[in-house]
Amino acid sequence: MDPFGFGHPPAAEQFRKELRTWLADQLTDDIVSAARRCGHSDEAFAIMRRWNATLADARWAAVSWPTAYGGRGASVAEALIHAEEMTWARVPHPLNVIGINNIAPALMEYGTEQQKTYLLPRMLRADDIWCQGMSEPDAGSDLASLRTRAVRDGNEFVVNGQKIWTSLGHRANWCQLYVRTDPDAPKHRGISCLIVDMALPGIQARPLTTLSGDTDFAEVFFTDVRVPASALLGTLNQGWQVATTTLSHERAGAARLYAELQTRLIDLVNDLDEAGDQLRDPAVLRRLGEFELRISYLETLCQRAISATVHGTDGFATASLAKSVWAEIGQDLAAFGYGMLGDDGGGQWADYRLTSHALSIAGGTTQINNNITARLLGLPRR
């Protein structure tokens, strides 16, 4: 499917060629390997940090960002190509992937020029690690139910509460923190967003170990933390708007969904070929063909969402559906790969089987995404 209605322009294809050439010269097996060990090893984390700086210095870290903040001001077509090529080349996600995709757009829209000029380039290089303080023990996908409080005291906010499943919370230098500043307002209207220095007294971050043994997440506690009032991002009690408007900046990021599964399927075929004669089994070939077809359907969904952006219409419902389909295919592919190979293939299928459980939670649960799709299609909520 051509999401642009006319094919990629020559400049975009030149963009693809330039990126491929640069990756062939710069991306090494050590970097790809470090990404797999990043949640276990400080050394691997340091390698990833240097790689992020290399990407940023060459302006390949966030191509759609304005050039003033370290991007290339790329078009949607170029951003789509960037997402495809980076995924197919197995380039590791940046350490600040949440910062680049979610926090940065909010900073660009609501931050001061001083904040943008200082914080954004350092985020791209991973000079500073960022986390996002959203989920709480009793407020996961329902952000509006958060209870972490921030009370104004002169020129400061005093913050008390807890966040959980905070990506890299124990390594972060900065946090985009969502807090309740008006407990008497309707729950969507009493939330504010703060940019918090994680070195402030009263902040404690404890790493959480997942099923795969990774420590990519943390629970973060705030006890009488005094945050400067100047750290407010956006308007007081308008944090819900800050959170939701970031979604409009995703654009061609949907390309990573289908491109990632395409590479997973290629890995599975190669591992099955090396492990024995499974590829001679018609039943196995049929399952592989089914996965290829489902991924092709997902590609169509993703490109429809991208096309909506290009043509000025709302692709939010399609993007939400694509995310749910991506999670379902990913979990099925992980289960099939592990069932066929177990710990063979370097143990990647055992690891993927474990981590795939998070696919239907991360980035919005399947239930939330299905309700978004249903609402925009005029269907009843589930």
Side-chain angles (χ1 to χ4, degrees):
M1 179 182 177
D2 173 12
F4 305 100
F6 49 79
H8 291 314
E13 290 302 336
Q14 179 59 37
F15 179 93
R16 186 192 298 274
K17 182 179 179 181
E18 182 184 350
L19 175 56
R20 282 185 178 178
T21 301
W22 187 86
L23 287 174
D25 183 57
Q26 298 292 330
L27 183 64
T28 66
D29 290 341
D30 288 344
I31 294 168
V32 176
S33 174
R36 300 193 187 103
R37 298 179 286 110
C38 195
H40 301 273
S41 163
D42 289 341
E43 178 186 1
F45 191 87
I47 292 173
M48 283 298 301
R49 208 164 190 168
R50 291 194 294 271
W51 168 244
N52 282 194
T54 299
L55 274 172
D57 291 345
R59 294 183 179 265
W60 288 119
V63 295
S64 60
W65 280 23
T67 56
Y69 307 132
R72 290 178 175 242
S75 66
V76 176
E78 290 169 335
L80 170 62
I81 287 171
H82 180 264
E84 288 179 339
E85 293 295 329
M86 297 287 275
T87 306
W88 291 334
R90 304 172 195 276
V91 177
H93 288 289
L95 292 174
N96 278 322
V97 62
I98 292 176
I100 291 171
N101 291 342
N102 297 84
I103 300 173
L107 272 171
M108 290 181 196
E109 185 162 348
Y110 298 102
T112 66
E113 193 57 38
Q114 182 180 6
Q115 289 171 334
K116 290 184 281 189
T117 302
Y118 176 74
L119 294 173
L120 291 173
R122 293 182 59 81
M123 179 191 292
L124 269 192
R125 287 176 48 85
D127 293 335
D128 295 330
I129 302 300
W130 281 74
C131 66
Q132 193 171 44
M134 281 189 165
S135 296
E136 298 182 3
D138 296 317
S141 295
D142 184 11
L143 173 65
S145 295
L146 66 84
R147 297 181 181 178
T148 297
R149 287 287 311 276
V151 178
R152 186 69 180 261
D153 181 19
N155 291 325
E156 297 175 317
F157 288 102
V158 181
V159 179
N160 284 279
Q162 178 188 358
K163 300 292 179 177
I164 198 166
W165 300 118
T166 305
S167 298
L168 299 182
H170 54 302
R171 295 186 182 271
N173 307 101
W174 293 93
C175 178
Q176 184 197 38
L177 182 67
Y178 290 89
V179 293
R180 187 160 299 284
T181 45
D182 186 351
D184 299 322
K187 64 180 187 178
H188 290 81
R189 298 181 184 174
I191 296 172
S192 297
C193 181
L194 301 174
I195 301 174
V196 178
D197 183 346
M198 292 292 283
L200 290 175
I203 299 177
Q204 182 182 20
R206 301 174 185 170
L208 297 169
T209 303
T210 63
L211 280 172
S212 61
D214 291 332
T215 52
D216 292 329
F217 302 97
E219 54 182 347
V220 185
F221 299 87
F222 300 86
T223 304
D224 294 330
V225 180
R226 290 192 165 270
V227 180
S230 59
L232 182 67
L233 185 62
T235 306
L236 185 68
N237 297 325
Q238 297 300 312
W240 184 258
Q241 183 181 14
V242 176
T244 56
T245 54
T246 60
L247 296 174
S248 64
H249 295 268
E250 291 299 319
R251 296 193 174 186
R256 274 195 175 270
L257 300 183
Y258 64 82
E260 176 186 292
L261 290 177
Q262 287 168 344
T263 60
R264 291 281 190 185
L265 184 59
I266 291 171
D267 286 345
L268 178 56
V269 172
N270 290 336
D271 288 345
L272 288 172
D273 188 41
E274 292 179 5
D277 59 357
Q278 287 97 328
L279 294 182
R280 297 177 182 272
D281 186 338
V284 173
L285 292 175
R286 177 172 179 170
R287 287 298 305 278
L288 294 173
E290 289 172 350
F291 280 119
E292 183 178 13
L293 183 62
R294 292 171 68 186
I295 294 169
S296 295
Y297 286 151
L298 174 62
E299 181 176 1
T300 299
L301 271 177
C302 291
Q303 293 189 349
R304 284 184 64 184
I306 297 166
S307 180
T309 299
V310 172
H311 298 298
T313 58
D314 187 0
F316 191 39
T318 304
S320 296
L321 179 59
K323 196 275 174 182
S324 298
V325 172
W326 167 75
E328 182 179 300
I329 298 173
Q331 290 173 342
D332 290 348
L333 184 61
F336 180 68
Y338 181 69
M340 294 297 299
L341 294 164
D343 291 329
D344 292 339
Q348 70 162 314
W349 293 102
D351 183 69
Y352 188 36
R353 181 72 178 100
L354 293 174
T355 58
S356 69
H357 290 288
L359 299 182
S360 54
I361 300 172
T365 66
T366 295
Q367 292 83 357
I368 293 293
N369 280 302
N370 285 346
N371 278 334
I372 291 171
T373 303
R375 184 176 71 250
L376 294 178
L377 292 177
L379 300 174
R381 292 169 60 93
R382 295 184 61 183

